[in-house]
C-alpha cells in the first residue's frame, strides 16, 4: 500500500483533528466551544424567532451513537435566510466550527450563532466510497455559511465515510443504488466561483451502476417484550394511564400487552402501595411502556382513548429515558405529512387484541397465586388488629356511658332542691340538644361542561389569586413571595367577559402557517357561597384565563381553527358561536348590542363588559385551571441587551408574571 493510499485509508477511518464526536459532546462541559461534523437525520425548516433572527433546528449523528436514529440536537441562529445553512434532505453532512454547547432541560445541544461557520455537503453530491480522490483536483460540492470557508481534504473524505457508516448510501434510498460522478471543480477559482459551480452541478450526477432491487419494508409490528432502543415499532396495547402535560403540550400514554421487557420500569411497588391517591391499575413488574405523544397524536389520544381501551400506536420510536436506565417511546409529527394521526383504537377482531386479553388473564391469575400465601399470613395479623381495635372501641363506649349516667344523677340532685351548698350554687344543665345543621347552599351549575379531574379536592376562587404556596421561607427565617408556582386547581367559575371582542379573532396563525385557537376568558367565582363570605370575591375580583392550543380544541370540540375572516369559514364561525353559547349564554349577544349602541368602544382593547354593566345569564361551571409563569416583558426581545440585563437585575418579580390557563375542560357534544 502506497503512502497516499495509507493516508486516504486513515482519513476515511479517523475523525479530522479538532473535531469532537457528538456522543461525547452530550456529556461535555456546557458553554464550551466545539467543532463537530455529522449527518443530519432529522430537521425542521427555518422559522422566524420572536426577534429579527431566523432559526433552524435539526438532529445530527455520527458513528459514536451506533445507529442513525439517535443524535444531538443542533440549533442554528442567523440574521437572515440568505446566510442560513440550506439543509435539503436527511443524509446531508454538516460541519459546525466554533459552536457552543448549551444545556437545555438537562440535555446538551449544539448552538450555532451568527459568527459560527457552517458547511453543508448535500447528500446527493457526496460520492460513494472509493470514488473520490482528494489529490485529483476534484472537490465535493459544498456551500459555506458565511462564504469563504473551504473544507479540507480530510474533512471531505470524512464526509464520504460518514455517509457510508451511517447507512445513508444511495443503495438504501427508495430510488435504488446510485454512484454519483463527482463534478470537477476548478481548484484555482475563487470561493464564490467554487460554490456557484458546486450548486450548478448538484443535479448533474450520472448513474454508473444499475439500480438494485428495493428491499421490502420491515414489518414494524412487535410486542413490548421485543422492543429495543433506537428503533420504530407499531404497537398494540391496553391503555393503563393517560397523563396530559399541559405545559409541555404532549400526552403520556402508558400501555401494556402483558409481556415483560427487562428494560422497562418496574411498577411492582406502585401496584402494592396503597398510599397513592390513585392506585396503579396495570400489571406488576416491567410490563408497561410509557409513550410521549406529541401533537397531532396528543389530541387524538385524549379525545379517542380512555383507560382500559386497547390502542394502536404506529411508528413509535423507542429510546432510552433521560436517566439512561429505562426504555420509553415517543411520537412526533410526520415531517412530510404533519397532520397525519397515528393513534387510534385497535379493532376488536384483531388477533393481537385477543392475545392481549388472554395474556392479561394469565398474568393476573399468576399474580393472585403468588400473593395468596402472603395474603393468608397477613390476614391473621389483620384479624388480631381488628379484634384489638374493637375491644378498645367497646371500652371507650362503656366509659362514655358511665360518665353520662354520673352527670345525669348530679343534675337530678340539683333539681330536687336539696339544702346543700351545691343546691345554692346549681350546676348548669348542659344543652344536650343537637345543634341546628349548617345551611347547605345549593346553586345551579352548567352540567354541559365537564372536567377530567372531577374527584379532585375543590379549590375556592380566592385560592387562585391568593395562592398560599407562593410564600416561602429561607433557612434564616427570611420570608419572600415567589412570582408564581406551578399549581393546578379544580374550581367553580363563571364567565363575565372575553377577549378579543370579535369571535373571528379567536383563531390565530402560528409562525409555521397553522391555525390555532387563542383567546382569553374573564371569570369570577362561580360558587355563591363565597359571595356570602366575601362579597368582594364574587362581585369585584376577577381573573383572566388563557385558552389556547390543544386545550382550546378540547374545550370547543368539533370546530377546527381556520381563517375565520374568510367567507368560506362561515359554518365554522357559526359552530363556534353555538359552542360558546353553552359556555357563556347570551354574553356575546349583549356585547354586540352594546357595541351597536356605542361603536366607538368596539376597537378599544381595554373595554370591559363588567365595567359597562353587561351582565350575562351564564351559569357557573366546574373547570380546571393551571397557574404558570410567563416572561414579564413580552417585548423584551426588542430591548438592547444591556437594558434587558439591567431590567432583569432590578426586577423583583424575577422577570416573570403569573398567568392562568384552562386545561382538562370540555363542552359536551349535543
Amino acid at each position: 500500500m502506497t503512502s497516499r493510499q495509507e493516508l486516504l485509508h486513515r482519513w476515511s477511518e479517523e475523525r479530522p483533528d479538532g473535531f469532537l464526536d457528538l456522543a461525547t459532546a452530550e456529556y461535555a462541559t456546557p458553554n464550551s466551544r466545539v467543532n463537530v461534523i455529522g449527518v443530519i437525520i432529522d430537521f425542521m425548516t427555518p422559522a422566524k424567532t420572536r426577534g429579527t433572527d431566523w432559526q433552524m433546528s435539526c438532529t445530527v449523528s455520527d458513528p459514536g451513537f451506533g445507529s442513525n436514529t439517535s443524535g444531538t440536537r443542533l440549533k442554528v441562529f442567523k440574521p437572515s435566510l440568505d446566510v442560513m445553512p440550506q439543509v435539503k434532505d436527511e443524509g446531508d453532512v454538516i460541519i459546525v466550527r466554533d459552536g457552543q454547547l448549551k444545556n437545555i432541560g438537562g440535555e446538551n445541544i449544539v448552538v450555532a450563532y451568527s459568527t459560527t461557520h457552517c458547511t453543508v455537503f448535500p447528500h446527493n453530491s457526496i460520492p460513494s466510497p472509493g470514488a473520490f480522490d482528494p489529490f485529483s483536483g476534484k472537490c465535493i460540492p459544498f456551500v459555506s455559511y458565511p462564504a469563504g470557508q473551504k473544507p479540507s481534504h480530510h474533512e471531505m473524505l470524512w464526509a464520504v465515510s460518514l455517509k457510508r457508516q451511517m447507512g445513508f448510501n444511495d443503495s438504501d434510498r427508495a430510488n435504488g443504488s446510485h454512484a454519483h460522478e463527482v463534478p470537477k471543480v476548478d481548484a484555482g477559482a475563487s470561493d464564490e466561483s467554487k460554490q456557484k459551480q458546486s450548486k450548478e452541478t448538484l443535479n448533474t450526477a450520472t448513474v454508473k451502476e444499475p439500480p438494485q432491487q428495493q428491499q421490502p419494508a420491515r414489518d414494524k409490528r412487535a410486542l413490548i417484550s421485543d422492543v429495543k432502543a433506537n428503533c420504530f415499532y407499531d404497537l398494540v396495547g391496553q391503555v393503563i394511564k393517560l397523563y396530559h402535560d399541559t405545559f409541555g403540550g404532549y400526552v403520556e400514554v402508558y400501555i401494556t400487552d402483558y409481556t415483560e421487557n427487562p428494560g422497562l420500569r418496574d411498577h411492582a411497588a406502585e401496584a402494592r402501595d396503597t398510599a397513592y391517591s390513585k392506585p396503579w391499575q396495570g400489571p406488576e413488574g416491567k410490563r408497561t411502556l410509557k409513550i410521549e405523544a406529541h401533537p397531532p397524536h396528543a389530541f387524538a389520544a385524549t379525545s379517542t382513548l380512555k383507560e382500559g381501551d386497547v390502542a394502536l400506536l404506529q411508528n413509535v420510536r423507542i429510546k432510552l429515558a433521560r436517566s439512561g436506565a429505562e426504555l420509553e417511546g415517543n411520537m412526533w409529527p410526520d415531517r412530510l405529512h404533519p397532520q397525519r394521526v397515528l393513534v387510534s383504537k385497535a379493532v376488536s377482531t384483531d388477533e393481537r387484541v385477543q392475545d392481549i386479553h388472554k395474556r392479561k388473564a394469565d398474568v393476573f391469575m399468576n399474580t393472585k397465586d403468588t400473593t395468596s400465601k402472603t395474603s393468608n399470613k397477613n390476614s391473621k395479623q389483620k384479624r388480631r388488629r381488628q379484634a384489638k381495635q374493637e375491644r378498645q372501641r367497646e371500652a371507650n363506649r362503656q366509659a362514655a356511658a358511665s360518665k353520662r349516667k354520673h352527670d345525669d344523677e348530679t343534675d337530678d340532685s340539683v333539681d330536687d332542691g336539696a339544702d346543700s351548698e351545691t343546691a345554692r350554687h346549681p350546676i348548669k344543665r348542659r344543652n344536650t340538644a343537637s345543634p341546628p345543621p349548617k345551611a347547605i347552599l345549593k346553586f345551579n351549575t352548567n352540567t354541559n361542561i365537564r372536567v377530567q379531574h372531577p374527584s379532585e379536592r375543590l379549590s375556592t376562587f380566592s385560592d387562585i389569586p391568593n395562592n398560599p404556596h407562593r410564600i416561602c421561607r429561607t433557612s434564616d427565617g427570611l420570608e419572600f413571595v415567589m412570582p408564581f408556582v406551578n399549581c393546578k386547581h379544580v374550581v367553580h367559575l363563571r364567565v363575565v367577559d372575553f377577549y378579543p371582542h370579535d369571535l373571528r379573532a379567536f383563531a390565530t396563525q402560528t409562525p409555521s402557517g397553522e391555525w390555532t385557537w387563542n383567546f382569553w376568558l374573564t371569570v369570577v367565582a362561580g360558587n355563591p357561597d363565597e359571595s356570602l363570605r366575601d362579597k368582594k370575591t364574587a362581585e369585584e375580583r376577577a381573573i383572566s384565563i388563557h385558552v389556547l392550543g390543544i386545550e382550546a380544541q378540547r374545550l370547543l370540540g368539533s370546530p377546527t381553527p381556520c381563517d375565520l375572516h374568510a367567507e368560506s369559514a362561515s359554518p365554522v364561525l357559526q359552530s363556534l358561536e353555538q359552542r360558546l353559547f353553552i359556555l357563556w349564554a347570551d354574553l356575546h349577544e349583549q356585547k354586540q348590542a352594546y357595541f351597536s349602541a356605542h361603536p366607538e368602544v368596539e376597537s378599544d382593547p381595554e373595554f370591559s363588559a363588567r365595567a359597562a354593566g353587561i351582565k350575562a345569564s351564564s351559569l357557573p361551571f366546574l373547570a380546571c385551571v393551571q397557574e404558570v409563569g410567563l416572561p414579564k416583558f413580552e417585548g423584551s426581545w426588542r430591548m438592547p441587551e444591556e437594558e434587558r440585563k439591567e431590567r432583569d437585575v432590578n426586577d423583583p418579580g424575577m422577570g416573570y408574571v403569573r398567568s392562568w390557563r384552562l386545561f382538562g375542560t370540555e363542552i359536551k357534544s349535543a
Side-chain angles (χ1 to χ4, degrees), residues 33-81:
R33 296 285 179 172
V34 293
N35 300 328
V36 295
I37 177 172
V39 177
I40 294 176
I41 61 174
D42 190 22
F43 69 96
M44 299 181 67
T45 55
K48 204 86 169 2
T49 64
R50 291 198 303 174
T52 58
D53 288 349
W54 289 77
Q55 68 171 347
M56 187 266 291
S57 179
C58 62
T59 304
V60 291
S61 184
D62 64 12
F65 285 99
S67 70
N68 60 6
T69 57
S70 299
T72 300
R73 289 175 56 205
L74 168 65
K75 293 185 74 70
V76 183
F77 295 90
K78 295 294 181 181
S80 67
L81 280 176

Short mmCIF file of all heavy atoms in Angstrom, two decimals, residues 33-81:
data_model
loop_
_atom_site.label_atom_id
_atom_site.label_comp_id
_atom_site.label_asym_id
_atom_site.label_seq_id
_atom_site.Cartn_x
_atom_site.Cartn_y
_atom_site.Cartn_z
N ARG A 33 -16.79 25.75 23.72
CA ARG A 33 -16.79 25.87 22.27
C ARG A 33 -16.34 24.55 21.64
O ARG A 33 -15.38 23.92 22.11
CB ARG A 33 -15.87 26.99 21.83
CG ARG A 33 -16.31 28.37 22.29
CD ARG A 33 -17.49 28.86 21.47
NE ARG A 33 -17.97 30.17 21.90
CZ ARG A 33 -18.87 30.88 21.26
NH1 ARG A 33 -19.40 30.40 20.15
NH2 ARG A 33 -19.26 32.05 21.72
N VAL A 34 -17.04 24.14 20.58
CA VAL A 34 -16.74 22.84 19.97
C VAL A 34 -16.81 22.97 18.46
O VAL A 34 -17.49 23.84 17.90
CB VAL A 34 -17.73 21.76 20.45
CG1 VAL A 34 -17.57 21.47 21.92
CG2 VAL A 34 -19.17 22.15 20.13
N ASN A 35 -16.10 22.05 17.79
CA ASN A 35 -16.23 21.82 16.35
C ASN A 35 -16.79 20.42 16.17
O ASN A 35 -16.26 19.46 16.74
CB ASN A 35 -14.87 21.92 15.64
CG ASN A 35 -14.23 23.29 15.81
OD1 ASN A 35 -14.93 24.30 15.91
ND2 ASN A 35 -12.91 23.33 15.85
N VAL A 36 -17.86 20.30 15.39
CA VAL A 36 -18.48 18.99 15.19
C VAL A 36 -18.79 18.81 13.71
O VAL A 36 -18.96 19.78 12.96
CB VAL A 36 -19.79 18.84 16.02
CG1 VAL A 36 -19.50 18.86 17.50
CG2 VAL A 36 -20.80 19.91 15.65
N ILE A 37 -18.86 17.56 13.31
CA ILE A 37 -19.26 17.20 11.96
C ILE A 37 -20.13 15.96 12.06
O ILE A 37 -19.80 15.01 12.79
CB ILE A 37 -18.03 16.96 11.05
CG1 ILE A 37 -18.48 16.51 9.65
CG2 ILE A 37 -17.08 15.95 11.66
CD1 ILE A 37 -17.33 16.45 8.66
N GLY A 38 -21.28 15.97 11.37
CA GLY A 38 -22.18 14.83 11.48
C GLY A 38 -23.19 14.80 10.35
O GLY A 38 -23.30 15.73 9.55
N VAL A 39 -23.96 13.71 10.32
CA VAL A 39 -25.00 13.50 9.32
C VAL A 39 -26.33 13.96 9.90
O VAL A 39 -26.68 13.63 11.04
CB VAL A 39 -25.08 12.02 8.92
CG1 VAL A 39 -26.21 11.80 7.92
CG2 VAL A 39 -23.77 11.56 8.32
N ILE A 40 -27.08 14.70 9.13
CA ILE A 40 -28.40 15.19 9.56
C ILE A 40 -29.41 14.06 9.39
O ILE A 40 -29.61 13.55 8.28
CB ILE A 40 -28.81 16.43 8.76
CG1 ILE A 40 -27.86 17.59 9.10
CG2 ILE A 40 -30.25 16.82 9.06
CD1 ILE A 40 -28.10 18.84 8.31
N ILE A 41 -30.04 13.67 10.50
CA ILE A 41 -31.02 12.58 10.44
C ILE A 41 -32.44 13.09 10.61
O ILE A 41 -33.39 12.35 10.39
CB ILE A 41 -30.73 11.52 11.53
CG1 ILE A 41 -30.81 12.13 12.93
CG2 ILE A 41 -29.36 10.89 11.31
CD1 ILE A 41 -30.66 11.12 14.06
N ASP A 42 -32.60 14.36 10.98
CA ASP A 42 -33.92 14.95 11.12
C ASP A 42 -33.76 16.45 11.14
O ASP A 42 -32.78 16.96 11.72
CB ASP A 42 -34.61 14.46 12.40
CG ASP A 42 -36.08 14.88 12.45
OD1 ASP A 42 -36.65 15.14 11.38
OD2 ASP A 42 -36.63 14.96 13.56
N PHE A 43 -34.67 17.19 10.54
CA PHE A 43 -34.54 18.64 10.53
C PHE A 43 -35.91 19.28 10.34
O PHE A 43 -36.85 18.66 9.87
CB PHE A 43 -33.58 19.10 9.44
CG PHE A 43 -34.08 18.91 8.03
CD1 PHE A 43 -34.70 19.94 7.35
CD2 PHE A 43 -33.96 17.68 7.40
CE1 PHE A 43 -35.18 19.76 6.07
CE2 PHE A 43 -34.44 17.49 6.11
CZ PHE A 43 -35.05 18.53 5.45
N MET A 44 -35.98 20.55 10.75
CA MET A 44 -37.18 21.37 10.56
C MET A 44 -36.80 22.58 9.71
O MET A 44 -35.67 23.08 9.79
CB MET A 44 -37.76 21.82 11.90
CG MET A 44 -38.19 20.68 12.81
SD MET A 44 -38.90 21.25 14.36
CE MET A 44 -40.41 22.01 13.77
N THR A 45 -37.72 23.04 8.91
CA THR A 45 -37.45 24.18 8.05
C THR A 45 -37.21 25.43 8.90
O THR A 45 -37.77 25.56 10.00
CB THR A 45 -38.62 24.43 7.10
OG1 THR A 45 -39.82 24.58 7.87
CG2 THR A 45 -38.79 23.25 6.14
N PRO A 46 -36.39 26.37 8.43
CA PRO A 46 -36.12 27.59 9.20
C PRO A 46 -37.40 28.36 9.51
O PRO A 46 -38.34 28.39 8.71
CB PRO A 46 -35.18 28.39 8.28
CG PRO A 46 -34.55 27.36 7.40
CD PRO A 46 -35.59 26.32 7.18
N ALA A 47 -37.43 28.97 10.68
CA ALA A 47 -38.60 29.74 11.12
C ALA A 47 -38.12 31.02 11.79
O ALA A 47 -37.00 31.10 12.29
CB ALA A 47 -39.47 28.93 12.08
N LYS A 48 -38.98 32.01 11.81
CA LYS A 48 -38.66 33.29 12.42
C LYS A 48 -38.71 33.18 13.93
O LYS A 48 -39.59 32.51 14.49
CB LYS A 48 -39.69 34.34 11.94
CG LYS A 48 -39.19 35.78 12.01
CD LYS A 48 -38.45 36.13 10.76
CE LYS A 48 -38.13 37.61 10.60
NZ LYS A 48 -38.45 38.56 11.55
N THR A 49 -37.77 33.81 14.62
CA THR A 49 -37.81 33.88 16.07
C THR A 49 -38.72 35.03 16.48
O THR A 49 -39.28 35.73 15.63
CB THR A 49 -36.40 34.10 16.65
OG1 THR A 49 -35.91 35.38 16.21
CG2 THR A 49 -35.45 33.01 16.17
N ARG A 50 -38.84 35.26 17.79
CA ARG A 50 -39.66 36.38 18.24
C ARG A 50 -38.99 37.71 17.93
O ARG A 50 -39.63 38.75 17.94
CB ARG A 50 -39.91 36.28 19.75
CG ARG A 50 -40.82 35.13 20.13
CD ARG A 50 -41.39 35.32 21.51
NE ARG A 50 -40.36 35.47 22.52
CZ ARG A 50 -40.59 35.76 23.80
NH1 ARG A 50 -41.81 35.94 24.20
NH2 ARG A 50 -39.59 35.87 24.65
N GLY A 51 -37.67 37.67 17.65
CA GLY A 51 -36.96 38.88 17.27
C GLY A 51 -36.83 38.99 15.76
O GLY A 51 -37.73 38.64 15.00
N THR A 52 -35.67 39.44 15.32
CA THR A 52 -35.43 39.63 13.89
C THR A 52 -34.67 38.47 13.28
O THR A 52 -34.50 38.43 12.05
CB THR A 52 -34.64 40.94 13.68
OG1 THR A 52 -33.40 40.86 14.42
CG2 THR A 52 -35.44 42.13 14.17
N ASP A 53 -34.16 37.55 14.10
CA ASP A 53 -33.35 36.45 13.59
C ASP A 53 -34.23 35.32 13.05
O ASP A 53 -35.44 35.27 13.26
CB ASP A 53 -32.42 35.91 14.68
CG ASP A 53 -31.29 36.88 15.00
OD1 ASP A 53 -31.10 37.84 14.24
OD2 ASP A 53 -30.60 36.66 16.01
N TRP A 54 -33.53 34.37 12.40
CA TRP A 54 -34.14 33.12 11.95
C TRP A 54 -33.46 31.97 12.67
O TRP A 54 -32.29 32.08 13.05
CB TRP A 54 -33.99 32.95 10.44
CG TRP A 54 -34.84 33.89 9.64
CD1 TRP A 54 -34.62 35.21 9.41
CD2 TRP A 54 -36.08 33.58 8.99
NE1 TRP A 54 -35.62 35.75 8.65
CE2 TRP A 54 -36.54 34.76 8.37
CE3 TRP A 54 -36.83 32.42 8.86
CZ2 TRP A 54 -37.72 34.82 7.66
CZ3 TRP A 54 -38.01 32.46 8.13
CH2 TRP A 54 -38.45 33.65 7.54
N GLN A 55 -34.17 30.88 12.84
CA GLN A 55 -33.60 29.72 13.50
C GLN A 55 -33.95 28.45 12.72
O GLN A 55 -34.99 28.37 12.07
CB GLN A 55 -34.07 29.58 14.94
CG GLN A 55 -35.54 29.25 15.08
CD GLN A 55 -35.92 28.91 16.51
OE1 GLN A 55 -35.07 28.68 17.35
NE2 GLN A 55 -37.22 28.88 16.79
N MET A 56 -33.04 27.47 12.81
CA MET A 56 -33.25 26.17 12.19
C MET A 56 -32.82 25.12 13.18
O MET A 56 -31.76 25.22 13.81
CB MET A 56 -32.45 26.05 10.89
CG MET A 56 -32.75 24.78 10.08
SD MET A 56 -31.61 23.43 10.45
CE MET A 56 -30.08 24.04 9.76
N SER A 57 -33.66 24.10 13.38
CA SER A 57 -33.37 23.04 14.33
C SER A 57 -33.25 21.72 13.59
O SER A 57 -34.04 21.44 12.69
CB SER A 57 -34.48 22.96 15.39
OG SER A 57 -34.22 21.92 16.31
N CYS A 58 -32.26 20.93 13.98
CA CYS A 58 -32.07 19.62 13.34
C CYS A 58 -31.39 18.68 14.34
O CYS A 58 -30.97 19.09 15.42
CB CYS A 58 -31.24 19.74 12.06
SG CYS A 58 -29.57 20.36 12.31
N THR A 59 -31.29 17.42 13.97
CA THR A 59 -30.60 16.41 14.76
C THR A 59 -29.47 15.85 13.92
O THR A 59 -29.69 15.43 12.79
CB THR A 59 -31.55 15.28 15.18
OG1 THR A 59 -32.67 15.84 15.88
CG2 THR A 59 -30.85 14.28 16.09
N VAL A 60 -28.26 15.85 14.47
CA VAL A 60 -27.08 15.35 13.76
C VAL A 60 -26.53 14.14 14.51
O VAL A 60 -26.61 14.05 15.73
CB VAL A 60 -25.99 16.44 13.62
CG1 VAL A 60 -26.43 17.53 12.69
CG2 VAL A 60 -25.63 17.02 14.97
N SER A 61 -25.98 13.20 13.75
CA SER A 61 -25.49 11.95 14.33
C SER A 61 -24.16 11.58 13.69
O SER A 61 -23.80 12.08 12.62
CB SER A 61 -26.51 10.83 14.14
OG SER A 61 -26.10 9.63 14.77
N ASP A 62 -23.43 10.71 14.38
CA ASP A 62 -22.18 10.17 13.84
C ASP A 62 -22.02 8.75 14.39
O ASP A 62 -22.84 8.28 15.17
CB ASP A 62 -20.98 11.07 14.17
CG ASP A 62 -20.70 11.18 15.65
OD1 ASP A 62 -21.26 10.40 16.46
OD2 ASP A 62 -19.91 12.05 16.04
N PRO A 63 -20.98 8.03 14.00
CA PRO A 63 -20.86 6.63 14.42
C PRO A 63 -20.81 6.41 15.92
O PRO A 63 -21.02 5.30 16.39
CB PRO A 63 -19.55 6.17 13.75
CG PRO A 63 -19.40 7.07 12.57
CD PRO A 63 -19.94 8.38 13.01
N GLY A 64 -20.54 7.46 16.70
CA GLY A 64 -20.48 7.31 18.15
C GLY A 64 -21.80 6.89 18.77
O GLY A 64 -21.83 6.34 19.87
N PHE A 65 -22.94 7.13 18.07
CA PHE A 65 -24.26 6.76 18.59
C PHE A 65 -24.62 5.32 18.25
O PHE A 65 -25.57 4.78 18.80
CB PHE A 65 -25.33 7.70 18.05
CG PHE A 65 -25.30 9.05 18.69
CD1 PHE A 65 -24.68 10.12 18.07
CD2 PHE A 65 -25.90 9.27 19.92
CE1 PHE A 65 -24.66 11.38 18.66
CE2 PHE A 65 -25.88 10.51 20.52
CZ PHE A 65 -25.25 11.57 19.89
N GLY A 66 -23.91 4.72 17.31
CA GLY A 66 -24.17 3.33 16.98
C GLY A 66 -25.32 3.10 16.02
O GLY A 66 -25.59 1.97 15.62
N SER A 67 -26.08 4.14 15.66
CA SER A 67 -27.18 4.00 14.72
C SER A 67 -27.50 5.37 14.15
O SER A 67 -27.03 6.39 14.65
CB SER A 67 -28.41 3.39 15.39
OG SER A 67 -28.97 4.32 16.29
N ASN A 68 -28.34 5.39 13.13
CA ASN A 68 -28.74 6.66 12.53
C ASN A 68 -30.11 7.12 13.01
O ASN A 68 -30.80 7.86 12.32
CB ASN A 68 -28.72 6.58 11.00
CG ASN A 68 -29.66 5.51 10.47
OD1 ASN A 68 -30.43 4.92 11.23
ND2 ASN A 68 -29.60 5.27 9.17
N THR A 69 -30.54 6.65 14.19
CA THR A 69 -31.81 7.09 14.76
C THR A 69 -31.62 7.90 16.03
O THR A 69 -32.60 8.38 16.59
CB THR A 69 -32.70 5.87 15.07
OG1 THR A 69 -32.01 4.98 15.96
CG2 THR A 69 -33.09 5.14 13.80
N SER A 70 -30.39 8.05 16.50
CA SER A 70 -30.09 8.85 17.69
C SER A 70 -29.05 9.89 17.32
O SER A 70 -28.20 9.65 16.45
CB SER A 70 -29.58 7.99 18.84
OG SER A 70 -30.55 7.05 19.23
N GLY A 71 -29.12 11.02 17.99
CA GLY A 71 -28.15 12.07 17.69
C GLY A 71 -28.25 13.22 18.66
O GLY A 71 -28.93 13.14 19.69
N THR A 72 -27.56 14.30 18.34
CA THR A 72 -27.50 15.50 19.16
C THR A 72 -28.27 16.61 18.46
O THR A 72 -28.17 16.77 17.24
CB THR A 72 -26.05 15.94 19.39
OG1 THR A 72 -25.35 14.90 20.06
CG2 THR A 72 -25.98 17.21 20.22
N ARG A 73 -29.01 17.37 19.22
CA ARG A 73 -29.77 18.48 18.65
C ARG A 73 -28.83 19.63 18.30
O ARG A 73 -27.91 19.96 19.04
CB ARG A 73 -30.83 18.97 19.63
CG ARG A 73 -32.00 18.03 19.82
CD ARG A 73 -32.94 18.54 20.89
NE ARG A 73 -33.41 19.89 20.58
CZ ARG A 73 -33.83 20.76 21.49
NH1 ARG A 73 -33.81 20.43 22.77
NH2 ARG A 73 -34.26 21.95 21.14
N LEU A 74 -29.09 20.25 17.16
CA LEU A 74 -28.33 21.41 16.68
C LEU A 74 -29.33 22.52 16.37
O LEU A 74 -30.28 22.31 15.62
CB LEU A 74 -27.52 21.06 15.43
CG LEU A 74 -26.92 22.23 14.65
CD1 LEU A 74 -25.87 22.95 15.48
CD2 LEU A 74 -26.31 21.75 13.33
N LYS A 75 -29.10 23.71 16.95
CA LYS A 75 -29.94 24.87 16.66
C LYS A 75 -29.05 25.94 16.05
O LYS A 75 -28.01 26.30 16.63
CB LYS A 75 -30.63 25.40 17.91
CG LYS A 75 -31.68 24.44 18.47
CD LYS A 75 -32.43 25.04 19.62
CE LYS A 75 -33.43 26.09 19.16
NZ LYS A 75 -34.56 25.49 18.45
N VAL A 76 -29.47 26.45 14.90
CA VAL A 76 -28.69 27.46 14.16
C VAL A 76 -29.48 28.76 14.16
O VAL A 76 -30.66 28.78 13.77
CB VAL A 76 -28.41 26.99 12.72
CG1 VAL A 76 -27.55 28.02 12.00
CG2 VAL A 76 -27.71 25.64 12.72
N PHE A 77 -28.84 29.85 14.58
CA PHE A 77 -29.45 31.18 14.57
C PHE A 77 -28.67 32.07 13.61
O PHE A 77 -27.45 32.21 13.73
CB PHE A 77 -29.44 31.80 15.97
CG PHE A 77 -30.28 31.07 16.97
CD1 PHE A 77 -29.74 30.05 17.73
CD2 PHE A 77 -31.61 31.39 17.16
CE1 PHE A 77 -30.50 29.35 18.66
CE2 PHE A 77 -32.39 30.72 18.08
CZ PHE A 77 -31.84 29.69 18.83
N LYS A 78 -29.38 32.65 12.64
CA LYS A 78 -28.75 33.52 11.66
C LYS A 78 -29.62 34.76 11.48
O LYS A 78 -30.86 34.71 11.63
CB LYS A 78 -28.58 32.80 10.32
CG LYS A 78 -27.62 31.61 10.39
CD LYS A 78 -26.19 32.05 10.66
CE LYS A 78 -25.24 30.86 10.70
NZ LYS A 78 -23.85 31.27 10.98
N PRO A 79 -29.00 35.89 11.10
CA PRO A 79 -29.79 37.13 10.95
C PRO A 79 -30.74 37.12 9.75
O PRO A 79 -31.68 37.91 9.71
CB PRO A 79 -28.72 38.21 10.80
CG PRO A 79 -27.50 37.49 10.32
CD PRO A 79 -27.56 36.13 10.93
N SER A 80 -30.50 36.27 8.75
CA SER A 80 -31.37 36.23 7.58
C SER A 80 -31.32 34.84 6.96
O SER A 80 -30.41 34.04 7.24
CB SER A 80 -30.96 37.29 6.56
OG SER A 80 -29.70 36.98 6.00
N LEU A 81 -32.26 34.58 6.08
CA LEU A 81 -32.30 33.29 5.40
C LEU A 81 -31.15 33.13 4.42
O LEU A 81 -30.77 32.00 4.08
CB LEU A 81 -33.63 33.13 4.66
CG LEU A 81 -34.84 32.71 5.51
CD1 LEU A 81 -36.09 32.68 4.66
CD2 LEU A 81 -34.60 31.34 6.14
#
